[in-house]
Amino acid sequence: MKKALKITFNILSWIVLIFALIITLLVFTADRNNGVSTLLGFMPFTVESDSMKPTFEKNDLIICREVDDINSLAENDVITFWTIIDGKKVKNTHRIVEVCDSGSTRSFITRGDNNGANDDISVYPADIIGKWTNVKISGFGKVMSFLRTKTGFFICILIPMALFFLFELYKMIVTIIEIKRPALSAADEEEIKRKAVEEYLKEQQNAKENTPEKSGE
């Protein structure tokens, strides 16, 4: 039972460590890539509105992938792109409803599934960040947003990682101590067993001698 608990704890510890490392990589890549996190070509995004409902909703986490060939994009593909909303450059994720190809220039008209009209600004290849992979995790976007804050990163990532490495350091020290401890020879082990048996028999003899005998009537 104790061994099974130890194995389970080790597995959970490694899962936490791997998760923490992934989040750390995503945070650092976002800082270097204009706020866009990427890992092996995949990009997680937190949905910030209900414009694509019911495909996905606000606070969902969606996974997009980098687009290697712009010409591969077609109608009904969902893409994440840079656009201008209320005078600010922001990320947006909408569905392609029309592909405009003039020969030298290719652009896309997009619309949110929950919107009644197309987006005002066409999307050009330079604006495209990635294509949605049809993967979403409901509600997890809010968690990712918290993990990217200084408080969330410290509580959920740095502290677990520090505890993990301290635990591994403790195990390593215990292992080194065990290795350096001189091993008992077979003769020593037999001597210890013999003394233990003698001590046990002696205790039994003393207990017998100290037990008062019952007198008959």
Side-chain angles (χ1 to χ4, degrees):
M1 180 66 178
K2 190 178 289 187
K3 186 177 181 180
L5 288 174
K6 186 177 180 180
I7 293 173
T8 302
F9 180 78
N10 286 335
I11 291 173
L12 290 175
S13 298
W14 278 103
I15 290 174
V16 170
L17 177 65
I18 292 170
F19 178 76
L21 290 175
I22 290 174
I23 297 298
T24 302
L25 288 173
L26 291 176
V27 169
F28 282 128
T29 55
D31 291 339
R32 296 183 178 183
N33 195 29
N34 201 19
V36 178
S37 302
T38 180
L39 184 63
L40 301 176
F42 292 93
M43 298 166 284
F45 292 105
T46 299
V47 180
E48 298 182 359
S49 75
D50 285 327
S51 64
M52 282 295 291
K53 192 175 181 178
T55 306
F56 44 76
E57 304 177 12
K58 184 177 180 179
N59 292 327
D60 285 351
L61 181 75
I62 60 172
I63 306 297
C64 294
R65 188 169 188 174
E66 294 176 353
V67 179
D68 296 325
D69 182 9
I70 293 297
N71 293 320
S72 67
L73 295 176
E75 285 187 29
N76 289 322
D77 286 341
V78 176
I79 57 173
T80 298
F81 53 91
W82 292 106
T83 189
I84 304 296
I85 298 179
D86 296 330
K88 296 180 180 180
K89 186 178 181 179
V90 296
K91 296 185 290 291
N92 198 10
T93 304
H94 279 174
R95 189 180 301 278
I96 297 174
V97 294
E98 185 178 346
V99 178
C100 303
D101 194 344
S102 62
S104 59
T105 305
R106 189 178 180 89
S107 63
F108 307 91
I109 296 175
T110 55
R111 181 172 65 213
D113 291 353
N114 197 32
N115 294 345
N118 295 340
D119 297 332
D120 295 330
I121 303 175
S122 296
V123 179
Y124 289 88
D127 303 321
I128 296 175
I129 301 171
K131 176 184 173 182
W132 183 42
T133 60
N134 293 321
V135 175
K136 70 172 182 177
I137 305 176
S138 299
F140 196 74
K142 199 170 185 179
V143 176
M144 283 294 295
S145 296
F146 175 71
L147 292 175
R148 288 173 180 170
T149 64
K150 290 183 179 180
T151 302
F153 189 77
F154 180 77
I155 295 174
C156 301
I157 304 302
L158 290 185
I159 290 180
M161 287 181 69
L163 291 175
F164 174 85
F165 285 114
L166 286 174
F167 179 70
E168 290 298 316
L169 178 62
Y170 166 77
K171 289 200 302 183
M172 183 179 70
I173 293 173
V174 170
T175 302
I176 292 173
I177 292 173
E178 290 292 333
I179 292 173
K180 288 187 175 181
R181 181 181 298 168
L184 294 174
S185 64
D188 291 334
E189 290 182 358
E190 287 299 325
E191 181 64 19
I192 291 172
K193 290 178 182 179
R194 186 184 65 79
K195 288 183 177 180
V197 171
E198 288 180 354
E199 187 67 26
Y200 174 76
L201 293 174
K202 186 176 180 181
E203 289 178 358
Q204 293 295 316
Q205 183 64 30
N206 290 337
K208 186 176 181 180
E209 291 175 354
N210 294 328
T211 301
E213 295 182 359
K214 292 184 180 180
S215 58
E217 294 183 2

